[in-house]
Amino acid sequence: VLMYYPNGRNLTGSNQSQTALFKAIRGSGGSLDRALPGIDGKMRFYSLRHMRTDVPGGGLYIASGIDEDIIKRLAFLPLARDLTIIAGIMLCILMYTWWFSTAFVTQRITPLLRTLQRIGAGDWRARTGLVESSGEIGAIARGVDGMAKNLEARVTAQHAAERARETSEERYRELLEQASDSIIVRHVNGELVFVNAALCQLLGYSREELLKMRITDLVEESNLRGQRLNIGESMRFESWMRYRNGHKIPVEVSTMRLRNGDVQSIQRDISERLE
C-alpha cells in the first residue's frame, strides 16, 4: 500500500496481495466497480482501476471506496423520500384531473384529438372547427389548424416539385434518347447507367446488354479521361470504341463530369471523316 486515506492505520507499506480487494482487481483485467471488503475488513463499494507503467510487468492499482451506509444515507434514503413526495403529488393531480374532466372539457378536447389523428394519418385538410373558442383550448385549436394548413401547403409544394422534377428528367431522357449521337452516362467505377438508341446502333449491342457492361468493355482503359475532370468540367478528344464483333470504330468524344459525380460522354462516329 503506497497511500491510505484518511489515515494510515499502519497500513502504508503493508503487503495486501492476498486480500479480496487486490485479487478482485487483478482478476478484473484492469477496471471493476463492485462491493468488496476493504483491507480493513469493512464493506465498501469500490471503483478499482489499473494504471500501467513503463516498468515491464509492473503497474499501479488504485482502489477508491465509499461505505455502503454512506451510500444509503446520501442516495437511497433521499430518493425514497422524493419518490414518496412525487407519488403523493401525482395522486393529487390524478384526482384533480378526474374531477375536472367534465363533459364541457371532453366536448372540446375530442375534436382536437380527432383532428390530430387525421393529420397523423395524412389528411392535411383536417381542421378542428374550434378557432373561435376562447381560452387555452381555442389557442391550441388555432395552433393545430395552423399546423395542418402549413403541412398541407408544404406537401402540395413538395408534390408539385416532384412532378416538375420527374417531368424534367423525362424530357431530358427523351432528348438523350432522340439524339443522333451516341450518349453514355456512367459511374466513375465504369458501370453504365444510361445508353441511348444511337449507341446501341453504333456498337451493335442491345440496351439490356450494354447496361450489364462496364466502360472498359467498350473503350480501352488508357483512353478514359472523364475521371480526371472536376465537377462541371468537360473536354473533347478522339478515341476508339469496340464494335460487337471486335473491330474498332473511331469516334470523337465530348465528355463532362456531372454534378452527382457521374460522367456523361457523347460519341460521334468519324469513320467517314477519317476516310
Side-chain angles (χ1 to χ4, degrees):
V1 178
L2 299 180
M3 179 182 70
Y4 188 93
Y5 179 83
N7 53 67
R9 300 180 184 177
N10 299 323
L11 292 173
T12 302
S14 60
N15 182 1
Q16 301 293 328
S17 60
Q18 300 303 316
T19 61
L21 187 61
F22 186 76
K23 291 181 179 179
I25 194 171
R26 284 290 301 271
S28 67
S31 63
L32 183 67
D33 296 293
R34 57 178 292 187
L36 292 168
I39 59 178
D40 58 356
K42 192 172 183 179
M43 289 297 297
R44 294 183 179 86
F45 188 83
Y46 280 96
S47 178
L48 309 177
R49 295 293 183 270
H50 175 226
M51 299 177 61
R52 300 185 181 277
T53 66
D54 294 334
V55 179
L60 177 64
Y61 293 94
I62 299 178
S64 177
I66 182 171
D67 293 347
E68 290 184 342
D69 56 345
I70 295 179
I71 296 178
K72 294 178 182 178
R73 185 168 64 253
L74 296 181
F76 297 140
L77 293 181
L79 177 62
R81 179 194 61 198
D82 294 342
L83 289 177
T84 302
I85 295 174
I86 292 174
I89 295 174
M90 292 298 297
L91 180 60
C92 294
I93 293 175
L94 289 175
M95 293 179 63
Y96 179 78
T97 303
W98 174 80
W99 174 78
F100 188 72
S101 297
T102 59
F104 175 76
V105 175
T106 303
Q107 288 176 357
R108 294 196 170 198
I109 292 297
T110 300
L112 287 173
L113 295 178
R114 290 177 178 173
T115 302
L116 290 173
Q117 290 173 352
R118 291 174 60 188
I119 293 174
D123 183 4
W124 314 116
R125 298 182 180 179
R127 300 294 186 270
T128 62
L130 300 174
V131 293
E132 301 299 331
S133 300
S134 59
E136 291 80 358
I137 294 180
I140 295 174
R142 286 188 290 273
V144 171
D145 288 351
M147 177 186 66
K149 184 177 180 180
N150 291 335
L151 287 174
E152 181 181 8
R154 183 176 300 179
V155 170
T156 301
Q158 182 179 356
H159 288 169
E162 290 177 354
R163 288 193 297 268
R165 183 185 62 188
E166 292 174 356
T167 302
S168 176
E169 291 177 352
E170 184 63 27
R171 290 176 179 174
Y172 177 69
R173 286 185 174 272
E174 289 179 359
L175 289 174
L176 296 182
E177 184 64 30
Q178 297 172 4
S180 58
D181 293 330
S182 62
I183 300 176
I184 297 174
V185 179
R186 62 180 177 85
H187 294 322
V188 178
N189 62 6
E191 180 183 358
L192 304 185
V193 294
F194 174 82
V195 295
N196 66 347
L199 182 73
C200 300
Q201 183 178 359
L202 177 67
L203 300 181
Y205 291 100
S206 66
R207 191 188 307 271
E208 291 73 17
E209 290 174 325
L210 287 171
L211 292 178
K212 295 178 182 179
M213 302 171 68
R214 306 177 75 86
I215 190 63
T216 50
D217 297 327
L218 306 174
V219 181
E220 294 183 2
E221 190 170 356
S222 59
N223 290 333
L224 296 178
R225 306 181 187 182
Q227 290 88 334
R228 309 172 190 173
L229 299 175
N230 296 321
I231 301 298
E233 290 184 346
S234 62
M235 64 185 306
R236 181 175 295 180
F237 56 94
E238 293 185 0
S239 181
W240 299 85
M241 299 192 74
R242 297 190 187 93
Y243 189 74
R244 185 184 186 95
N245 61 12
H247 81 268
K248 293 183 178 180
I249 302 174
V251 291
E252 180 184 67
V253 182
S254 177
T255 184
M256 180 177 66
R257 192 75 176 271
L258 303 178
R259 285 185 297 178
N260 62 359
D262 290 345
V263 179
Q264 174 183 296
S265 58
I266 302 174
Q267 293 75 215
R268 175 173 296 178
D269 186 354
I270 57 173
S271 300
E272 295 183 1
R273 183 197 307 175
L274 294 180
E275 290 176 1

